[in-house]
């Protein structure tokens, strides 16, 4: 019970966010002061005396352009400041940053009468910068950033707020509620296209009865794209989902969709181009977005562009010889995921994957109208030549403008990302494994509220702009992890507490399919380490649901949907840790 109570306290303020409503202090407002005061200027400043966040009440634009002055507000305990300044630096990665000063002026007393607002403006800049505040009174001079108060102006810039002019994450992705599905495990709408075969070993295609368990990656339940379309109303109306992530559906021998044979060919057991168009159209009709998985770190031996096994014997031999990396003797460099490492240093690779209008990534954006790409293990993409699309940062930085030229609203996300890829305007977001680890540790009783608060702050805020923080894909379970519910021993209170925290925290929460049913039947392959290899299918038998869990998650989704603007633009304050 203690966990539930502490989370509800944390949640309370963030939900109020942009509206600026503060419950329980209306009477104080009636008794508060109405003008400038120095009545507390002979007292030292303390934690809680100052507050700022990159929210609509405190920042004129959380994603400013390079030609835009940025107006900032700072809330200070009433009458405790004689002066306040904004200190901003362009040396945000430097050891001894040089700060410039923008003076602030007293603006007004807030509605409670407990705090003053000070306001100042950072002039328009082309370059990224970080900022903090300096507040003085008769006896104290303090510096304030996200990490709190300090008497040292040279305190690390890691806690400063970040501004990246002209960088924008899509508005729809900020605070979006995601749902994640594996097509073959979600719903079988067309039984005529199901896999047939005999179980004769790993990755041999055959069908498993719905509700059973897949013990190898070659077992299939029979779900398909038409099945997702059939259940679109459930996602949009019952769960209030705003965005859908779909595992790869290309031809492969892998039920999770990885190890693709042809990036342009949908597995016939999952559907076809027409069914994908129908799915995207149905989602868009209800204003839902869809994200696909870009699996471009390695190339399966059966892939049409690699064709080591001569699965496609009619292809011109070695037409894509340079698509994979090779050593000086011409031997293929293998990925840890099997198959050859894709070589982004080669023009044919870049043209095939993202630069050409007929490339894989642009085709699904233009022809099928998808809204987002997730780069599978995106931080390990590589090339064979130094300085020539060799590193993941170089490659991702090159991909971004090709996607954004189709639409600024395309979300560019990576499963894993290096810090600079998120702070330097390369990626919009990442899958937030750090969030999941923090919550898992807390629910497993290996950390406490203080450790949790610090870990979540680092995972969600870090050195990111608020647009990135709002777009971070926060989850408890993915296809690469065991079921969160299983990992915490099916402790229902902890499970519901974890969902309460995720669904009301800054970022974009994700419900992994079947978790909302509370049936404990979502044990998954841990693909990241290739252990515990089996999946289960979506449970559509509502008579078996745990309605404590199901109704709770639905209620949280409704709250998230109702207060979508507050979650996107509202302020955050950790009230308890």
């Amino acid at each position: 019970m203690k966990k539930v109570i502490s989370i509800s306290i944390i949640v309370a303020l963030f939900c109020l966010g942009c509206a600026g409503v503060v419950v329980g202090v209306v009477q104080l407002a009636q008794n508060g002061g109405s003008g400038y005061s120095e009545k507390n200027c002979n007292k030292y400043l303390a934690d809680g005396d100052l507050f700022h966040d990159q929210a609509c009440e405190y920042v004129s634009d959380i994603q400013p352009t390079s030609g835009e002055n940025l107006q900032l507000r700072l809330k200070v305990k009433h009458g405790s400041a004689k002066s306040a300044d904004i200190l901003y630096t362009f040396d945000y990665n430097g050891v001894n940053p040089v700060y410039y000063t923008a003076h602030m002026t007293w603006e007004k007393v807030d509605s409670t009468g407990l705090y003053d607002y000070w306001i100042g403006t950072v002039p328009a800049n082309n370059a990224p910068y970080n900022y903090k505040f300096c507040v003085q009174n008769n006896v104290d001079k303090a510096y304030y950033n996200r990490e709190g108060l300090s008497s040292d102006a040279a305190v690390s810039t890691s806690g400063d707020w970040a501004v990246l002019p002209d960088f924008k994450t899509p508005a729809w992705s900020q605070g979006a509620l995601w749902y994640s599905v594996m097509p073959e495990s979600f719903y079988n709408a067309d039984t005529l296209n199901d896999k047939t075969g005999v179980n004769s070993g790993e990755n041999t295609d055959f069908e498993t009865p719905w509700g059973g368990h897949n013990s190898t990656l070659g077992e299939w339940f029979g779900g398909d794209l038409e099945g997702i379309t059939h259940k679109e109303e459930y996602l949009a109306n019952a769960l209030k989902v705003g965005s859908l992530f779909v595992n790869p559906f290309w031809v492969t021998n892998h039920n999770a969709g990885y190890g693709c044979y042809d990036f342009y060919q949908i597995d016939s057991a999952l559907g076809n181009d027409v069914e994908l168009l129908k799915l995207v159209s149905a989602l868009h009709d209800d204003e839902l977005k869809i994200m696909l998985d870009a699996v471009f770190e390695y190339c399966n031996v059966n892939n049409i562009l690699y064709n080591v096994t001569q699965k496609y014997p009619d292809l011109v031999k070695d037409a894509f010889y340079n698509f994979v990396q090779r050593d000086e003797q011409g031997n293929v460099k293998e990925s840890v995921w099997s198959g050859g490492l894709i070589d982004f240093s080669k023009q044919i690779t870049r043209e095939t994957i993202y630069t050409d209008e007929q490339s894989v990534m642009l085709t699904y954006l233009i022809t099928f109208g998808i809204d987002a790409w997730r780069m599978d293990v995106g931080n390990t993409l590589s090339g064979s030549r130094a300085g020539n699309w060799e590193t993941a940062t170089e490659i991702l930085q090159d991909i971004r403008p090709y996607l954004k030229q189709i639409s600024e609203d395309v979300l560019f996300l990576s499963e894993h990302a290096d810090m600079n890829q998120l702070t330097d305007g390369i990626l919009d977001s990442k899958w937030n494994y750090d969030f999941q680890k923090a919550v898992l540790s807390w629910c497993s009783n290996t950390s406490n509220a203080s450790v949790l608060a610090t870990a979540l702050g680092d995972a969600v805020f870090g050195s990111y702009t608020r647009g990135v923080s709002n777009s971070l894909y926060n989850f408890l379970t993915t296809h690469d992890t065991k079921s969160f519910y299983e990992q915490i021993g099916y402790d229902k209170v902890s499970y519901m507490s974890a969902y309460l925290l995720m669904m009301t925290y800054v970022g974009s929460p994700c419900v992994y399919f079947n978790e909302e049913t509370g049936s404990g039947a979502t044990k998954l392959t841990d693909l990241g380490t290739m252990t515990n290899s089996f999946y289960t299918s979506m449970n559509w038998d509502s008579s078996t649901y745990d309605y404590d869990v199901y109704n709770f998650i639905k209620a949280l989704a409704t709250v998230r949907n109702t207060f979508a603007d507050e979650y996107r633009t509202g302020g955050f304050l950790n009230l308890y840790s």
Side-chain angles (χ1 to χ4, degrees), residues 322-323 325 342-350 354 382-391 394-395:
N322 289 325
F323 192 74
Q325 298 181 39
I342 292 178
D343 192 352
F344 280 88
S345 291
K346 302 300 171 57
Q347 182 176 344
I348 192 171
T349 300
R350 301 191 299 276
Y354 67 91
S382 61
S384 60
R385 293 163 53 190
N388 185 10
W389 292 274
E390 178 192 26
T391 69
E394 291 176 274
I395 296 162

Side-chain angles (χ1 to χ4, degrees), residues 70 72 85-102 122-123 125-133 145 153-165 423 463:
L70 187 65
L72 303 175
D85 295 312
I86 304 165
L87 304 181
Y88 61 99
T89 179
F90 302 101
D91 302 323
Y92 57 96
N93 290 320
V95 178
N96 296 305
V98 176
Y99 281 95
Y100 299 87
T101 300
V122 178
N125 286 287
N126 295 320
Y129 61 92
N130 283 13
Y131 67 89
K132 60 163 60 80
F133 299 94
N145 64 12
V155 67
S156 171
T157 61
S158 63
D160 290 358
W161 288 277
V163 177
L164 194 57
T423 59
S463 299

Side-chain angles (χ1 to χ4, degrees), residues 239-304:
L239 292 185
K240 308 297 182 184
V241 170
S243 305
L244 180 70
F245 171 65
V246 181
N247 271 79
F249 42 65
W250 301 310
V251 176
T252 180
N253 61 353
H254 189 317
N255 53 21
Y258 297 90
C260 162
Y261 295 172
D262 187 343
F263 295 115
Y264 295 96
Q265 184 181 353
I266 296 173
D267 193 309
S268 60
L270 299 177
N272 51 45
D273 290 358
V274 172
E275 292 301 334
L276 178 57
L277 286 167
K278 287 181 179 178
L279 172 59
V280 173
S281 177
L283 292 170
H284 286 174
D285 283 348
D286 274 331
E287 299 184 352
L288 273 71
K289 307 294 185 179
I290 180 171
M291 178 167 68
L292 302 187
D293 207 358
V295 189
F296 301 134
E297 191 267 353
Y298 67 99
C299 197
N300 186 284
V301 294
N302 292 318
N303 190 286
I304 194 170

Side-chain angles (χ1 to χ4, degrees), residues 487-505:
Q487 291 190 75
I488 62 173
Y490 300 107
D491 179 339
K492 186 191 294 188
V493 172
S494 292
Y495 187 58
M496 294 170 69
S497 298
Y499 255 97
L500 175 61
L501 177 55
M502 180 181 71
M503 296 284 273
T504 55
Y505 206 80

Side-chain angles (χ1 to χ4, degrees), residues 119-342:
I119 192 168
T121 300
V122 178
N125 286 287
N126 295 320
Y129 61 92
N130 283 13
Y131 67 89
K132 60 163 60 80
F133 299 94
C134 176
V135 176
Q136 297 186 67
N137 60 24
N138 293 332
V139 296
D140 200 5
K141 181 178 183 179
Y143 299 89
Y144 172 70
N145 64 12
R146 189 178 60 81
E147 295 177 351
L149 287 176
S150 172
S151 60
D152 184 3
V155 67
S156 171
T157 61
S158 63
D160 290 358
W161 288 277
V163 177
L164 194 57
D166 295 326
F167 173 79
K168 294 183 183 296
T169 60
W172 67 262
S173 72
Q174 297 186 39
L177 174 56
W178 288 91
Y179 193 84
S180 176
V181 299
M182 287 178 57
E184 74 89 24
S185 303
F186 189 60
Y187 186 74
N188 188 355
D190 182 1
T191 58
L192 297 179
N193 65 7
D194 293 355
K195 298 275 187 180
T196 59
V198 179
N199 182 7
S200 59
E202 181 71 17
N203 288 13
T204 299
D205 292 339
F206 71 100
E207 188 171 357
T208 302
W210 202 269
H213 288 92
N214 285 341
S215 58
T216 74
L217 296 175
E219 300 176 49
W220 301 70
F221 289 110
D224 41 47
L225 295 177
E226 186 179 349
I228 304 174
T229 305
H230 187 80
K231 293 296 185 179
E232 185 274 335
E233 185 176 350
Y234 166 78
L235 300 177
N237 298 329
L239 292 185
K240 308 297 182 184
V241 170
S243 305
L244 180 70
F245 171 65
V246 181
N247 271 79
F249 42 65
W250 301 310
V251 176
T252 180
N253 61 353
H254 189 317
N255 53 21
Y258 297 90
C260 162
Y261 295 172
D262 187 343
F263 295 115
Y264 295 96
Q265 184 181 353
I266 296 173
D267 193 309
S268 60
L270 299 177
N272 51 45
D273 290 358
V274 172
E275 292 301 334
L276 178 57
L277 286 167
K278 287 181 179 178
L279 172 59
V280 173
S281 177
L283 292 170
H284 286 174
D285 283 348
D286 274 331
E287 299 184 352
L288 273 71
K289 307 294 185 179
I290 180 171
M291 178 167 68
L292 302 187
D293 207 358
V295 189
F296 301 134
E297 191 267 353
Y298 67 99
C299 197
N300 186 284
V301 294
N302 292 318
N303 190 286
I304 194 170
L305 302 179
Y306 189 22
N307 204 25
V308 170
T309 62
Q310 290 297 296
K311 182 178 177 65
Y312 304 94
D314 296 332
L315 289 180
V316 176
K317 182 175 175 57
D318 296 333
F320 284 85
Y321 181 88
N322 289 325
F323 192 74
V324 293
Q325 298 181 39
R326 301 174 183 271
D327 62 21
E328 294 179 356
Q329 287 73 44
N331 300 314
V332 172
K333 295 182 179 180
E334 291 194 2
S335 164
V336 296
W337 304 106
S338 78
L341 277 171
I342 292 178

Side-chain angles (χ1 to χ4, degrees), residues 146 452-464 505 572:
R146 189 178 60 81
L452 173 66
T454 299
L456 290 179
D458 292 339
V460 174
F461 298 105
S463 299
Y464 309 139
Y505 206 80
F572 174 84

